[in-house]
Amino acid sequence: MELTVLWQRTASVLRICLWIACITPGSLCSMASAQSGRSKKNSDTVGVGKIGSGSRNVQKKTCLVPVKIRGMNEGELAEVLDRGQNRVAIVRLVRVNRNSSRLMAQVLVGEENCSSLSGYAIRPLSSSSAASALASGTQISEVASLSGAFIVHQLSLPGLALNKFLSPGYTQRGFGLRASAAFPRQPMRFGKFNLQGSAGVVFSSSATSPALDIVKEGKVIGTQNFATTAYQFRGGARALTSDARLWTEVGLVLLDSLASKSTLAKAGTNVDALFPAVRELNGQGFGLYAEQGLVVGQNARLSLSGALGLGTKYKTPVLEDGEATNTSENFKTEGLPIFAGINLNVPVWRGAYAELNFDYANVKLSLPLVNDQLSKSQIEKLSFSLGAGYRF
């Protein structure tokens, strides 16, 4: 008798557990029931759809995006594919609220791409790949970027104006380009990190604005304009966390080049009124760099970088200027040149982003003179740029 009662109670508990499991969203019973219903309705229908557009893209603690789907139900996992059929996110279909039948996609992996998923296709994620995909994260499809920007350079060149008529500080304005790439597209797994190679180039072209006044005995006897072209190539290796929200990059500055030329304009008709000034400055170098980056919020990217010049060489033409004539074209570098930078870019629409950069450089130099002295000088440059780019 006691065994019969015990068996009845056990059976009741099992029935309650099965009933709870079957009414839970995303359970095996609900999936099986939904699949059976879809098969009866249309045996040829396959779950397909795409991410819709709307204002409910980002919530406070999670990423929810609207979807337009058929053949998929609440609780199912799906993968989001870009136009190259690369997985950029993994989502779970959820209801907007308990009283609504409308489904939204909750992004589980790839939240940094939340604001750029609109229009991408989604398809069911097979159960065999769901666990591994959630564990390892999604593929990073956006591995290259190109941006253009308006730049302002604030330079200080004390000591380079050997005739003492040129102001040591001036401002240049112009434009710049930045390009970077990581490879391979699918990072290589190494322990807890993903590894990629990296490469980048920075180019800028600027001119003095306003022109510099050349003053002698309290009078402006002419003006001078500088036009500067600079570019940098670098390459290294990048280690990323599994969710790609934190990365560290180290490598070599393969080439850092600067070429600055100037033109003189006379204030009057007297050709001999101007003494020669520094009209050309050319420099090349290489060194080491390191970068630390992180994803801020949902998808903004912030990176801090620094570099040391290991082999830097600057040159200027021989100057004929009385007491301050130089005996060599080559500047001597004192200490290690220092470079630093801050980069912030915020996605605004799919692959497009706005970018803000601050860069600093300091190179201490000396130039031998005919009077057995050294002309101490330095190149100190603070740059600001604001622009837009595209990541693909």
Side-chain angles (χ1 to χ4, degrees):
M1 182 67 178
E2 292 181 357
L3 289 176
T4 302
V5 173
L6 181 60
W7 170 253
Q8 290 175 347
R9 291 180 179 177
T10 303
S12 299
V13 172
L14 289 174
R15 282 196 297 270
I16 293 173
C17 292
L18 287 174
W19 177 77
I20 292 174
C22 285
I23 65 172
T24 302
S27 65
L28 293 176
C29 293
S30 61
M31 288 182 178
S33 176
Q35 182 64 37
S36 176
R38 289 198 301 273
S39 299
K40 291 178 182 179
K41 183 176 181 180
N42 185 353
S43 59
D44 297 327
T45 299
V46 179
V48 293
K50 68 176 183 178
I51 302 295
S53 59
S55 59
R56 294 174 61 89
N57 280 359
V58 181
Q59 288 193 350
K60 197 168 186 180
K61 294 183 179 180
T62 186
C63 172
L64 286 177
V65 291
V67 288
K68 302 173 183 178
I69 59 171
R70 60 183 176 87
M72 285 183 281
N73 288 337
E74 178 188 2
E76 293 188 19
L77 293 176
E79 57 182 347
V80 181
L81 306 176
D82 64 10
R83 291 171 182 79
Q85 297 300 301
N86 300 305
R87 179 192 296 155
V88 294
I90 298 174
V91 302
R92 183 189 299 277
L93 300 180
V94 297
R95 292 186 183 184
V96 177
N97 53 60
R98 294 181 180 180
N99 300 323
S100 174
S101 60
R102 183 187 175 191
L103 294 180
M104 300 278 284
Q106 179 184 7
V107 180
L108 303 179
V109 178
E111 287 189 351
E112 66 274 10
N113 301 320
C114 184
S115 64
S116 61
L117 298 178
S118 178
Y120 286 170
I122 64 173
R123 68 182 181 189
L125 186 65
S126 62
S127 57
S128 60
S129 61
S132 60
L134 289 172
S136 61
T138 189
Q139 173 177 318
I140 301 169
S141 61
E142 297 172 342
V143 294
S145 65
L146 176 64
S147 64
F150 167 74
I151 60 175
V152 177
H153 297 313
Q154 181 63 45
L155 294 100
S156 178
L157 305 175
L160 290 184
L162 299 184
N163 60 12
K164 305 302 186 293
F165 297 156
L166 178 64
S167 170
Y170 59 93
T171 301
Q172 288 184 320
R173 292 177 174 86
F175 73 95
L177 295 173
R178 289 175 181 261
S180 63
F183 50 88
R185 181 173 290 272
Q186 177 66 48
M188 298 175 291
R189 189 71 176 176
F190 186 79
K192 296 182 179 181
F193 298 95
N194 295 322
L195 296 181
Q196 286 180 310
S198 64
V201 58
V202 179
F203 169 84
S204 67
S205 177
S206 58
T208 308
S209 177
L212 303 176
D213 291 333
I214 299 180
V215 180
K216 183 178 182 181
E217 297 177 354
K219 296 181 180 180
V220 176
I221 61 175
T223 59
Q224 184 169 21
N225 284 286
F226 275 92
T228 303
T229 300
Y231 54 88
Q232 182 186 94
F233 295 95
R234 72 184 196 183
R238 177 183 298 177
L240 308 92
T241 55
S242 59
D243 59 0
R245 295 185 63 87
L246 188 69
W247 68 90
T248 300
E249 183 177 325
V250 294
L252 292 175
V253 176
L254 304 174
L255 176 63
D256 185 79
S257 176
L258 180 145
S260 185
K261 296 183 178 181
S262 72
T263 56
L264 298 176
K266 313 297 188 297
T269 58
N270 187 357
V271 179
D272 297 328
L274 293 179
F275 286 89
V278 175
R279 300 186 183 184
E280 293 184 11
L281 181 67
N282 292 279
Q284 291 185 345
F286 68 93
L288 300 174
Y289 80 92
E291 177 182 298
Q292 180 63 61
L294 69 156
V295 176
V296 182
Q298 291 290 344
N299 46 25
R301 302 188 181 197
L302 175 67
S303 62
L304 308 175
S305 60
L308 290 176
L310 300 181
T312 303
K313 183 178 181 180
Y314 282 87
K315 181 183 294 188
T316 187
V318 174
L319 303 180
E320 295 295 337
D321 188 24
E323 298 178 355
T325 301
N326 56 304
T327 59
S328 172
E329 293 185 354
N330 297 322
F331 283 103
K332 294 182 180 180
T333 305
E334 297 186 350
L336 296 177
I338 298 173
F339 306 88
I342 301 175
N343 173 275
L344 173 66
N345 64 67
V346 181
V348 293
W349 184 73
R350 294 190 178 177
Y353 59 89
E355 185 175 57
L356 179 67
N357 294 282
F358 290 95
D359 295 284
Y360 174 79
N362 188 300
V363 184
K364 297 186 183 300
L365 303 168
S366 63
L367 189 66
L369 305 178
V370 294
N371 55 7
D372 297 327
Q373 296 181 0
L374 293 176
S375 174
K376 298 289 185 178
S377 60
Q378 71 175 8
I379 301 174
E380 188 172 30
K381 182 174 69 173
L382 180 63
S383 304
F384 164 81
S385 67
L386 178 64
Y390 188 79
R391 186 176 293 108
F392 48 91

